[in-house]
Amino acid sequence: MVIKFGIKDLNIWFGSTQALKHVSMEVLPNEILSVIGPSNSGKTTFLRMLNRLNDLNPGFRMSGEVIFEKENVKKIDVELLRRKIGMVFALPLPLPLSIFENVAYGVRMHGLANKKRIAEKVEDALKQGYLWDEVKDRMSESAFKLSGGQQQRLCIARTLAVEPDVILFDEPCSGLDPISTAKVEDAMVKLKEKYTIVLVTNNVKQAARVGDRTAFFLSGELIELDKTEKIFTVPQDKRTDGYIRGKFG
């Protein structure tokens, strides 16, 4: 079976605190992998390991391996790695630029100067982010004039514009209303046709709605990983069942 990521006996520390313990798992191409667990379970640390954002923490150290497309992430140029593995954060972070320039920013940074090609990439990214119809007549307006949900989809489009292979979502709907959340989820489901998606979410119902497989983390350990339907109906570990039923977390 072809895999996108192979994680082997991964341990992560920040200073003297161990955040992940002996995690081994795989992420498959063109799937949405939902990652769930209570606060301080290690799920965001796991997500940030995939594109080496943990490296920015001065107390970070690790053992084990994270293999991306058959190559250890530690051996991949970090700028190239983060171009291939884009990330959308919990709070939308638009740039203080127009809607158009927010999406074009990364494209220009990667060396594309042809105005027609840039415009084509911006339009395509906004369509993939389920935002084009709402902003096509407002492209010169400030991104800050968009609603919170629109700003989040703008950030998704900005990530898509540089054509990554993988998109990491770190609780992307935590601050959004149900309608905006549904639009982001619709976009994710459509995007998996072209991309591999890893979604960290505190909303177990969201994990159930969009995830092909679900991983449950607790106290830095991977407790269970299986098809989402099985995780939510016949989990193998009673701790998974307890978390999904809201008994803790």
Side-chain angles (χ1 to χ4, degrees):
M1 180 187 292
V2 177
I3 63 170
K4 185 62 75 170
F5 288 98
I7 294 96
K8 302 175 183 177
D9 195 27
L10 178 64
N11 296 275
I12 289 179
W13 296 265
F14 296 105
S16 60
T17 301
Q18 188 166 3
L20 286 181
K21 305 168 186 174
H22 304 290
V23 172
S24 295
M25 61 185 289
E26 295 174 344
V27 180
L28 308 179
N30 302 101
E31 76 168 346
I32 298 177
L33 175 67
S34 295
V35 181
I36 61 173
S39 298
N40 299 313
S41 60
K43 56 190 189 293
T44 295
T45 297
F46 165 75
L47 192 74
R48 292 168 68 92
M49 186 63 243
L50 299 178
N51 69 347
R52 289 179 51 189
L53 279 178
N54 290 323
D55 293 18
L56 300 173
N57 188 310
F60 164 76
R61 60 190 175 93
M62 64 164 282
S63 66
E65 288 185 331
V66 178
I67 306 298
F68 172 59
E69 296 182 338
K70 300 182 179 179
E71 192 170 359
N72 194 312
V73 296
K74 291 197 290 186
K75 296 180 180 178
I76 303 173
D77 175 78
V78 72
E79 186 175 321
L80 175 62
L81 182 72
R82 290 178 189 156
R83 179 177 177 178
K84 288 189 170 188
I85 306 172
M87 191 160 188
V88 177
F89 296 92
L91 293 174
L93 298 169
L95 301 169
L97 302 168
S98 70
I99 294 167
F100 181 91
E101 289 299 336
N102 259 269
V103 183
Y105 181 82
V107 178
R108 295 189 202 279
M109 288 289 288
H110 289 296
L112 186 63
N114 183 289
K115 289 184 178 180
K116 183 180 178 182
R117 287 289 296 124
I118 291 172
E120 289 171 350
K121 282 183 174 289
V122 168
E123 180 176 340
D124 184 55
L126 286 167
K127 285 178 176 176
Q128 289 186 75
Y130 278 49
L131 188 59
W132 173 251
D133 288 340
E134 296 167 46
V135 301
K136 61 185 178 183
D137 299 321
R138 306 171 56 190
M139 299 291 275
S140 61
E141 287 185 19
S142 167
F144 295 131
K145 289 189 176 181
L146 298 174
S147 70
Q150 289 173 325
Q151 287 184 17
Q152 190 63 296
R153 282 179 282 141
L154 181 70
C155 292
I156 293 171
R158 190 173 70 206
T159 299
L160 295 173
V162 297
E163 300 179 356
D165 294 327
V166 178
I167 308 171
L168 309 178
F169 287 94
D170 189 7
E171 299 178 31
C173 303
S174 61
L176 303 185
D177 62 82
I179 293 174
S180 296
T181 294
K183 289 182 177 181
V184 171
E185 290 177 2
D186 287 344
M188 278 191 269
V189 171
K190 188 68 176 175
L191 288 170
K192 76 174 182 180
E193 295 174 9
K194 292 178 66 175
Y195 307 94
T196 298
I197 293 173
V198 184
L199 166 68
V200 163
T201 179
N202 285 326
N203 184 336
V204 293
K205 291 181 179 179
Q206 180 175 69
R209 284 193 296 265
V210 303
D212 297 295
R213 295 190 305 152
T214 295
F216 172 55
F217 281 76
L218 182 65
S219 300
E221 298 181 47
L222 174 62
I223 303 301
E224 193 166 349
L225 170 62
D226 211 329
K227 291 182 179 179
T228 294
E229 184 179 354
K230 289 187 69 176
I231 288 283
F232 281 87
T233 55
V234 285
Q236 299 301 300
D237 192 292
K238 63 182 181 182
R239 292 170 291 180
T240 310
D241 186 60
Y243 179 72
I244 289 169
R245 290 176 184 272
K247 293 180 179 178
F248 67 92

